[in-house]
Each structure stands twice: as C-alpha cells, then as structure tokens.
Amino acid sequence: MHTTVLPPEVLREVADVRAPADLTNIPHPYGFVGREKQLERLDEAFARRGEVVVQAVHGLGGVGKSTLAAQWARTRSRGSPQWWITAESTEALDRGLTDFALAVRPVLRTMGMGSDELREWALQWLGSHRDWLIVLDNVHDPLDVRALLDRVGRGGRVLITSRRSTGWHRVAATVPLDVLEEREAVELFTRILGRGGPAADGAADVCAEVGRLPLAVEQAAAYCAETGVAPRDYLTLLQDRSAEMFAATAEGGDGDRTVARIWSITLDRLAKSPPALEALHVLAWFAPDGIPRHLLDDLVHPARIRTRITEALAPCAEGSSALHRRVHGWLRELVKQTADPLGLNQALGRLAAYSMLSERDGTLGMHRLVQALARTPDPRDPHRQAKDIAAARLTAERALLKALPTNVSEPSSWPAWLALLPHAVALTDHTPADQESAATGDMLRRTSVFQEDHGAYAAAVRSAERAYEITARFEDSHTVLHARNELASAYEAAGDSARALPMFEQLFAEFTRVLGPDHLCTLKAQYVLAVRYLSTSDTSRGISMLEQNLADRERVLGPEHPDVLGSRISIANAHGDAGQSERALSLHEDNLADALRLQGSHERIVLAARAGLADVLITTGDKERALALFEENLAESERVLGSEHPDTLTARGRLAQAYDAASDPATAVPILERNLADRERTLGPDHPATLTSRNNLANAYLAVRDYDRALALHHRNLSERERVLGPNHPATLATYNNLGAAYQNSGDLEAALPLLERAYAGRKRAFGPDHRRTRRSRENLVIAYLNSSRPALAAALLEETLADFERTLGPEDAKTRIARRNLDTARRAADRSRHPDGEAEVREASGPDAPGGGAVGHA
C-alpha cells in the first residue's frame, strides 16, 4: 500500500476530526448462535490498550467467521466508529477505506479528493485516533493488510476474518473457528425452519449428518422450510447418498463433503426445474462473483422450446412412417421434460432460495464450493453426469466468446472487458485438457491481448503460452503463427526480450515461408521485427529492415497506403533517435505533407506524422514551431478521438514534454497533472499508461525543483512497478534511474547512489552497454560518484564509456574525444582525492529518462 501526499489543509484537520456519534456499518449477524468461548477470547484480546490490537479469526469456508465477527462487533465491542470492510483483495480494501473516509468526514466529497487521497486520509485518521474498530472481512493473504496495520498502530482494534490459517504470526493473534456445538447447530436449524415449517423432529440427527457446519445447517434447514420435507425425511435422503458423499476432499475436509451432500439433495428438488439445473451448471464455470446475468441469455428457455415443440408436433403426428412416429415420440418426451416451465428469473430465484446463489448489484454470485462440485462429474450422481457438465462448459464458453468485445484496443470496450475478464480466466483455468478446443485457444488469445494492454504482464504470458499450445493442436498454420506472435509480444511486454526477439525473428521467417513475402501478415511481421531491433539498439539493422519493409509495402500496397506512411514515419523516427537530425527533419517534412493529403480517412497517420516532425524540431532547436505542431496535434486528437481517448492523453503529454524541453517546465506541470488525473480516472491507478503519466509528472516537478512532490511520485511509481511488473522490467529499471536522479538533484547522494547503481546494473544486464538507457544510467552514476567524492569509481565507469565509444563510433568521433577528456579529468580528480586541496564541484544529474522514451513508454 503506497502513501499519497495530502494537501496541507487536509493534513491539518485529520487529527482534529471527530467521527459522527455511533458511526457503524457492521452487518446484522444473521444465523448467529453460541460461540461463547470465541467471543470471550475476543473480549480478552481486545481489552488490552496501547498499540493497535489485531485479531484474526480463521477457519473453513462456511464455518461462520464473518457472523462471529459481526456478532462481537455489534454486541460486545465498545468505542466508535465501527467499520466493516470486505477485504478479499487490495482493491476492495482500498474501496473500504475510501468509504470510511467519506463516512467520517462527508465534506470530503466536495473537496475534489481522489480515491488515493481519501484512502490516505482514512489511514491518517486511524493513526491519529483511538477506540475505533475496523473489521477486515475475508482477507485472502496476510500480506494484503500488512501495510495497513503498519500505518494505524496507535489505539484502535482490527478484527480480521480469513479462510487462511497460516501466515498470521507476524500480523495478528489468531482465533481458530471450528464447527458448531450440537446444541448450537440444532438451535440454528430450528430457528431457520421456523414455526410454519415441518416438525423439527430429527433436526439433531440432520445437523450431525451435515457435520454441524453452519453453512450446511443453514442450507438443510432452508431446504426443509422451502419444500416442506421433514428433517427425518431429509436425513433419509442424505443417508441414501452416503457412499458418494463421503468421498475424500482436499481443503475443507468433512465440511466440504457435507456441503456436497446438501448440494446433491437440493438438486433432486430442483430437477423439476431444468432451467435452474442448467443455470447452476453454467454458472459453475465463471468466477464466483460479479457474474453478469446476460451470460445466461443463451440458456434454453423452456417456455420457448415448448412452443417450438408444440408447433412441430402436428405435422409429425400426421406422418405414417415409422420415422415420423419416432420423431413424434421424441418431441412428446421433450414436452414432458419441459412441463411447468420456469423463466430464467424464477430459476435463479429457486437457486437463491436454497442458498445456492446470491444476487447483488445486478450480478450473480455463487459459493466457490458449490461451483467446484457442479464442475466435477460423478457417474453416481444424475445431476453431475460428465456429459451434462461438459455441455454446460460449452454453453458458458459460447456465451463468453459472444460477450467479449472483439476490439480489445478500443477504450469503449474496456468496461465490458473488465467485467468479463475474471470469468474468462476462471473458465479457461477450470477447463480440463481433454475438453480444450479451438474456442478455448481463441478465448485465451483474446484474454492475453487485453491483459498485456492493461499491464497484467505475467498473466498475459500465462494466457498466451497456453493459447499457443492449444492453437497448435487445433488450428491451421496461419492461426498458429498469430498465436505465436501474441506470445512473443507478451514476453516482450513482460520485459523478457531474450525470449521475445528470437521469436519475432522466427515469426518473420515462418510468415514468409507459409504465406509468402508479399502477404500483409508477412509485411507486418517484418515491420514488427525491425522495430524490435531498434528497441534493442541494433539501429543500423533496424533502419535497414524498415527501409526494405517500406519498399515491399510500396510495391504491394501502393505509395499512399497508410501502412506505407507508417513505415516512413518509423524510419524518420529511427534516424532522429540515432542523432541524424537533418535527415530525420527532411523525412518528417515529406511524411507530414503526404499524410495531410489523406486527411479525413486516416487521421491517426496525420497525428503520428505531425508528432514525429515536432519531436525532431525540438532537437534541432526550433522549439516555437514544435510547440505549435504539438498544440495542433492535441486539438485534432480531441476533435477526432475525444478528450479522454488514450491517444489524446498521449498527445497532451507530448505537448507538456515539449514545453519542458523548451525550458518551460512550469507550463508543463499543470498539463501533466491533468493528464495523470484523467488516466487514473479512466484507466486505473496501476495501468502502464497511468504509471508513465505519474513518472512524467514527477520529472516535471523535478525540473521546477519541487523535490518533495517529485520524490513522492517516483516512490509511488517504483512501488507500483515493482508490484505490477517486477524489479527487472525495463520500466522498473527506468524508475530506479529516475528516482535516483531526483535524489541526486535534491542533494541526497546517499539515497541516490544505490538506486542509480541498481538501474545501471539492471540495464547493462538487460540491454547491453551500448544501449541509450544504459548510457544514461551510467552518466547519472558517474556524476553521483564525482559529487560524492568517489572519482575512482567514476573513472572506472568512464573507462567503460570510452571503450564503448571507441568500439561503436571510432577513436576520432566527437563523443569519443569528449569521453577521453572526461576520463582524464576523473583520473586527475582521483589522484587529488588522495591529497585533497579543495572541495569538489557539485554537479547535477543529467536527469531522468526522457518522458515518453522507450524506457518509460508513451507520454
């Protein structure tokens, strides 16, 4: 959990704000019975004062952990406020803290604070007050709440519930929760059964049979209350199925087996409602929560099929052939099976009545154990036949493929993708290998592309690897090549260039062999490989391949095709990156003139051409014209794509960078602040583009010498990138460099050095010594060594620089001569340091990586 810097006026009031009297959102503990020992243990633990007291209640799913926590909070906890947070993920925890801040201080809604600031306000309030209670319900991993607990350690209380029994020794004392006592289980059963239900005779036996697990007791009592079945009759049904229900289970033990029994018996009653059974089997393949109802639209609706069958009966009945009579019989049997049909809403209502399903905010949820059972075939259970389960999986797969938007890169599709992604992951994760198909590979490929675009690189690699393996078994060579291309792209996005580049080389060769040199896919593979060479500093090879690609595309597509212009723009950019500014300027002028002739149908090509020209104008010193072009690009992007389209945000960021490069960072700062706010709102706080915007804003703060805000943003970015991308990803290495440069320019060399050393070592390992990012890190590290009176270390690095320039540029190149002079200066400084005769000059770091450059992604 990162720290957000709050405005001073907000910080001043936190400690003085008092929560509203008796503020609480603790839910009612429905179905609570007994548990006196556990309640007393919580009483004793929370009686202590001083530092924050933390208790974790853990136990089997369905054992009543949340109910216990709610009961203790509502009836035995003293103090205020008392706040319940569903904390099954870090995102849910953050939302809960945001809601808490608004409940304590409603006026914060009018102050324009974002979710990060509200969360930080909540943490600071908890850290400066006493006698509050926070319940963190359903925590998945102790590490998810560790940062919160470290922040609020004064005089409050934190009660945690979790299925996990291990990992709490450094976080909290624990209270294990087991099944109910017999008396408690019977009391719960009879309370749910109610006065109007069947006689409670046999309740104790039923409770014993279901293992006294609260969830199982509740389900059994609900079934009896709903159907009118007496407990003894229910017990008989359970006993008749004992052989299959006592099968060994993994996590959960006897409780899982008991719930499995109840699930099977419940399905006996649901069998008269085929849509309910079918819905149950289909829902089992999705993620447990947030299932959109429209994923069930393709289920068979009995009323509709009954109408169709009835219409078909008449002509078949008139036939005299044996075939007609047989078809007639089949249709009559289908009518019988769909007698007394229920609509989908009624079917879902039946499932909810037996606690098999829940509905919240228009989406459906199902207990994970129920899902696991519904997905697991059992030849002895008529409701868990392999063919029915496989058919339900196919229905779920078809529904998801139909619902998933095809244009992954279009922002308008992202809300739907975000809602459906957990279900696509769940379905593919649970699909057995012998049921995989081309459709499974298709879903995994599409999932991988979305995960990659949204920064979930590790997940994207896993999806792409499996998609490629499946596609290779079921699809033609053309589709297999595309799956391999997506895998290579996922490897590269995850920072694994060592695996990505050889794959791109093989792909170009394979596309050429399979489809021919002039196929559009081959030309695209050629272009992609050329760009990869440029990104790895193989400039001459990259430019050469781009020029060949341009010639091939012109021959195949014609000189005015947008792909041809795209190749031309990339060539001009490559010359600019290689320092050949005059050549790049001439190419960009021609590109923009040609692109403008296509305006109206290919606006994005115009935007790219104009941005390329503006970039090179910055480097040649024509900053006034460059700024005008960037301003024009932003206006056109807003007109064509909208003010919050990702490409528009990129255009706005590049304009801000141009102001920074034109020695006007003060103008750049508010533009970048707006960009960051827009990206956090539209993409989320840890999307790669958001991280880039935060990085660019931090660099702008550094340029105006606002070191506190620059360091805070870089620290947050480093935390996010280490978490999302890992410590060795190129973007993470860029953040090490940028944070180190920020510390160096603020005068804190001790903090700067380890960051700069780590960035340099990582980049040298990842990119080699000649890459521009490696050279930038080495330059910053040299300056840090000189400023910290370590000229010998600086000289050693300058020796590497000189050797690189002599090898790559030649001994008489201007840069080589400068490197030689710098090395001589460092060596003399090293000699003087042994006999100091004065203070060393303090130098400023060369700066962070250029915003929008390859190391940090798009602006």
Side-chain angles (χ1 to χ4, degrees):
M1 181 177 294
H2 48 261
T3 301
T4 298
V5 178
L6 296 179
E9 64 272 19
V10 177
L11 284 172
R12 282 194 297 270
E13 70 167 4
V14 171
D16 299 327
V17 172
R18 299 183 65 180
D22 300 321
L23 176 63
T24 182
N25 71 336
I26 304 298
H28 181 76
Y30 172 78
F32 180 83
V33 292
R35 307 295 199 184
E36 281 300 317
K37 292 181 180 179
Q38 289 80 12
L39 292 172
E40 290 172 2
R41 184 165 176 177
L42 291 175
D43 287 343
E44 179 181 357
F46 284 124
R48 298 193 300 272
R49 290 184 174 272
E51 292 298 312
V52 65
V53 180
V54 184
Q55 289 282 299
V57 179
H58 67 81
L60 176 67
V63 81
K65 302 176 294 296
S66 300
T67 305
L68 173 68
Q71 177 71 9
W72 185 86
R74 289 178 68 96
T75 64
R76 305 173 78 126
S77 173
R78 290 184 290 273
S80 181
Q82 299 181 352
W83 199 253
W84 186 280
I85 296 176
T86 300
E88 60 189 5
S89 66
T90 54
E91 293 80 6
L93 174 59
D94 289 347
R95 286 194 298 270
L97 289 170
T98 297
D99 293 341
F100 175 74
L102 294 173
V104 172
R105 186 66 166 157
V107 73
L108 296 177
R109 294 180 184 275
T110 67
M111 299 179 66
M113 296 176 67
S115 58
D116 291 336
E117 294 169 309
L118 289 170
R119 179 188 57 216
E120 178 64 21
W121 193 96
L123 290 172
Q124 296 199 22
W125 191 95
L126 293 171
S128 58
H129 291 77
R130 296 177 178 275
D131 296 325
W132 45 259
L133 170 67
I134 297 292
V135 180
L136 303 178
D137 188 44
N138 200 25
V139 174
H140 173 68
D141 189 331
L143 293 178
D144 291 345
V145 299
R146 182 68 181 271
L148 180 149
L149 298 178
D150 290 343
R151 293 286 307 279
V152 299
R154 283 193 64 182
R157 294 156 296 165
V158 179
L159 179 55
I160 298 169
T161 73
S162 177
R163 294 184 183 182
R164 183 167 173 172
S165 61
T166 58
W168 296 104
H169 59 285
R170 295 183 178 179
V171 177
T174 60
V175 178
L177 196 60
D178 205 347
V179 296
L180 295 170
E181 300 292 334
E182 180 180 356
R183 174 186 56 80
E184 298 168 345
V186 171
E187 178 184 349
L188 176 59
F189 189 101
T190 54
R191 182 188 301 173
I192 296 172
L193 193 60
R195 293 181 180 180
D201 183 40
D205 292 334
V206 172
C207 292
E209 189 69 10
V210 301
R212 303 193 308 276
L213 186 72
L215 175 60
V217 172
E218 291 174 15
Q219 288 179 331
Y223 180 89
C224 292
E226 167 72 15
T227 63
V229 170
R232 291 239 177 249
D233 293 334
Y234 191 89
L235 181 62
T236 300
L237 292 171
L238 288 175
Q239 291 170 342
D240 289 342
R241 296 177 176 273
S242 60
E244 66 187 79
M245 295 307 169
F246 279 109
T249 61
E251 182 181 359
D254 292 342
D256 285 356
R257 292 196 296 272
T258 302
V259 173
R261 292 187 189 182
I262 295 173
W263 179 84
S264 182
I265 299 305
T266 301
L267 291 190
D268 282 340
R269 286 289 180 172
L270 292 174
K272 293 182 179 180
S273 172
L277 283 177
E278 188 175 3
L280 182 67
H281 282 299
V282 172
L283 290 168
W285 292 99
F286 300 133
D289 303 309
I291 305 171
R293 290 174 63 97
H294 66 76
L295 290 179
L296 299 178
D297 285 349
D298 287 342
L299 286 178
V300 174
H301 291 274
R304 188 166 66 235
I305 193 171
R306 180 184 175 90
T307 300
R308 293 175 180 173
I309 292 172
T310 302
E311 292 171 351
L313 277 175
C316 288
E318 295 173 359
S320 58
S321 69
L323 176 60
H324 281 171
R325 289 193 297 272
R326 183 176 298 177
V327 172
H328 183 269
W330 290 341
L331 291 173
R332 289 184 62 85
E333 180 62 26
L334 283 173
V335 170
K336 184 187 301 184
Q337 292 179 12
T338 57
D340 302 321
L342 299 174
L344 181 58
N345 288 340
Q346 291 174 297
L348 297 179
R350 290 293 299 274
L351 291 173
Y354 299 116
S355 302
M356 306 292 280
L357 186 71
S358 63
E359 186 166 5
R360 181 178 182 183
D361 298 330
T363 62
L364 307 175
M366 181 174 287
H367 194 282
R368 288 169 174 80
L369 180 56
V370 174
Q371 287 186 308
L373 291 166
R375 291 191 306 265
T376 305
D378 187 338
R380 299 165 297 182
D381 189 338
H383 310 304
R384 294 165 61 196
Q385 294 297 297
K387 62 180 179 58
D388 296 328
I389 291 174
R393 192 199 69 79
L394 287 174
T395 300
E397 186 174 71
R398 284 193 298 266
L400 263 179
L401 284 171
K402 179 181 177 181
L404 287 173
T406 55
N407 191 347
V408 176
S409 61
E410 180 56 45
S412 61
S413 74
W414 293 348
W417 259 105
L418 291 170
L420 295 171
L421 179 64
H423 308 298
V425 171
L427 190 146
T428 52
D429 281 351
H430 293 305
T431 296
D434 61 356
Q435 294 184 32
E436 292 172 341
S437 65
T440 312
D442 180 30
M443 185 176 297
L444 283 163
R445 289 198 304 273
R446 293 160 67 180
T447 297
S448 172
V449 173
F450 183 81
Q451 289 168 327
E452 179 185 329
D453 285 352
H454 286 70
Y457 297 132
V461 167
R462 290 193 298 270
S463 297
E465 287 176 334
R466 188 173 170 205
Y468 175 60
E469 186 274 327
I470 294 173
T471 304
R473 284 192 278 128
F474 294 104
E475 295 280 18
D476 57 54
S477 56
H478 188 180
T479 308
V480 172
L481 287 175
H482 284 291
R484 192 188 304 169
N485 181 74
E486 286 152 9
L487 176 56
S489 177
Y491 282 143
E492 182 182 52
D496 193 349
S497 298
R499 279 201 286 187
L501 184 58
M503 288 189 70
F504 284 122
E505 292 172 331
Q506 294 167 7
L507 279 164
F508 176 48
E510 283 295 298
F511 272 117
T512 303
R513 181 183 63 80
V514 174
L515 303 177
D518 293 342
H519 194 281
L520 294 183
C521 291
T522 305
L523 296 176
K524 184 175 181 180
Q526 181 186 37
Y527 174 83
V528 167
L529 178 57
V531 172
R532 266 56 183 187
Y533 283 140
L534 291 173
S535 69
T536 57
S537 287
D538 196 345
T539 304
S540 60
R541 192 174 185 180
I543 291 177
S544 176
M545 183 167 282
L546 278 177
E547 290 173 342
Q548 182 61 53
N549 181 254
L550 173 60
D552 292 341
R553 280 180 162 175
E554 283 183 328
R555 175 173 49 79
V556 174
L557 303 172
E560 293 190 346
H561 192 279
D563 286 353
V564 172
L565 276 173
S567 292
R568 289 172 55 185
I569 292 169
S570 294
I571 291 172
N573 288 336
H575 283 294
D577 290 342
Q580 302 164 5
S581 300
E582 291 185 5
R583 173 66 172 155
L585 181 60
S586 174
L587 291 174
H588 277 306
E589 295 275 15
D590 293 341
N591 290 341
L592 180 56
D594 290 342
L596 286 171
R597 288 191 291 106
L598 298 177
Q599 193 164 13
S601 58
H602 302 291
E603 290 89 349
R604 293 191 181 185
I605 287 293
V606 177
L607 296 174
R610 191 181 290 117
L613 175 58
D615 280 335
V616 76
L617 287 172
I618 287 287
T619 63
T620 59
D622 194 347
K623 298 175 182 178
E624 183 175 349
R625 186 183 174 199
L627 287 170
L629 288 173
F630 279 124
E631 293 274 12
E632 185 178 1
N633 237 24
L634 175 58
E636 282 296 295
S637 188
E638 288 178 334
R639 180 184 64 81
V640 173
L641 303 174
S643 61
E644 292 189 348
H645 191 280
D647 290 354
T648 302
L649 299 181
T650 296
R652 188 178 299 128
R654 296 185 78 173
L655 171 62
Q657 295 159 31
Y659 276 115
D660 193 10
S663 302
D664 189 4
T667 301
V669 165
I671 299 175
L672 291 171
E673 288 174 333
R674 176 185 172 185
N675 238 30
L676 176 58
D678 287 346
R679 276 184 163 158
E680 286 182 331
R681 185 181 67 259
T682 59
L683 302 178
D686 57 1
H687 188 281
T690 304
L691 297 177
T692 298
S693 288
R694 193 176 296 125
N695 173 83
N696 296 345
L697 177 57
N699 291 344
Y701 284 146
L702 185 63
V704 297
R705 299 183 184 275
D706 189 344
Y707 297 125
D708 288 342
R709 287 203 285 185
L711 290 169
L713 286 183
H714 274 316
H715 267 294
R716 179 179 174 186
N717 242 24
L718 179 59
S719 175
E720 290 289 336
R721 280 178 164 163
E722 285 181 326
R723 179 180 62 83
V724 175
L725 307 177
N728 297 316
H729 191 278
T732 308
L733 297 175
T735 310
Y736 288 134
N737 177 77
N738 295 354
L739 179 57
Y743 270 121
Q744 183 173 186
N745 288 342
S746 70
D748 191 346
L749 290 171
E750 292 306 310
L753 277 172
L755 292 164
L756 295 174
E757 289 170 337
R758 186 166 186 176
Y760 175 58
R763 285 177 159 179
K764 187 176 181 181
R765 181 175 60 253
F767 306 121
D770 301 333
H771 197 280
R772 67 180 185 278
R773 303 176 199 172
T774 307
R775 289 173 176 171
R776 173 59 63 92
S777 285
R778 184 163 56 208
E779 181 181 349
N780 283 343
L781 187 54
V782 165
I783 295 172
Y785 282 147
L786 291 175
N787 287 339
S788 60
S789 301
R790 302 174 190 180
L793 293 176
L797 290 181
L798 287 169
E799 288 173 356
E800 292 184 21
T801 300
L802 177 60
D804 291 342
F805 284 167
E806 288 179 336
R807 182 179 68 257
T808 58
L809 304 176
E812 299 305 320
D813 185 89
K815 291 184 178 179
T816 305
R817 293 197 298 270
I818 293 173
R820 192 176 292 117
R821 288 198 298 271
N822 289 342
L823 175 58
D824 290 341
T825 300
R827 284 172 172 168
R828 288 195 297 272
D831 290 339
R832 287 197 303 272
S833 68
R834 301 186 184 92
H835 307 286
D837 56 3
E839 294 184 356
E841 176 187 1
V842 177
R843 300 165 176 82
E844 205 172 70
S846 62
D849 293 323
V856 293
H858 298 297

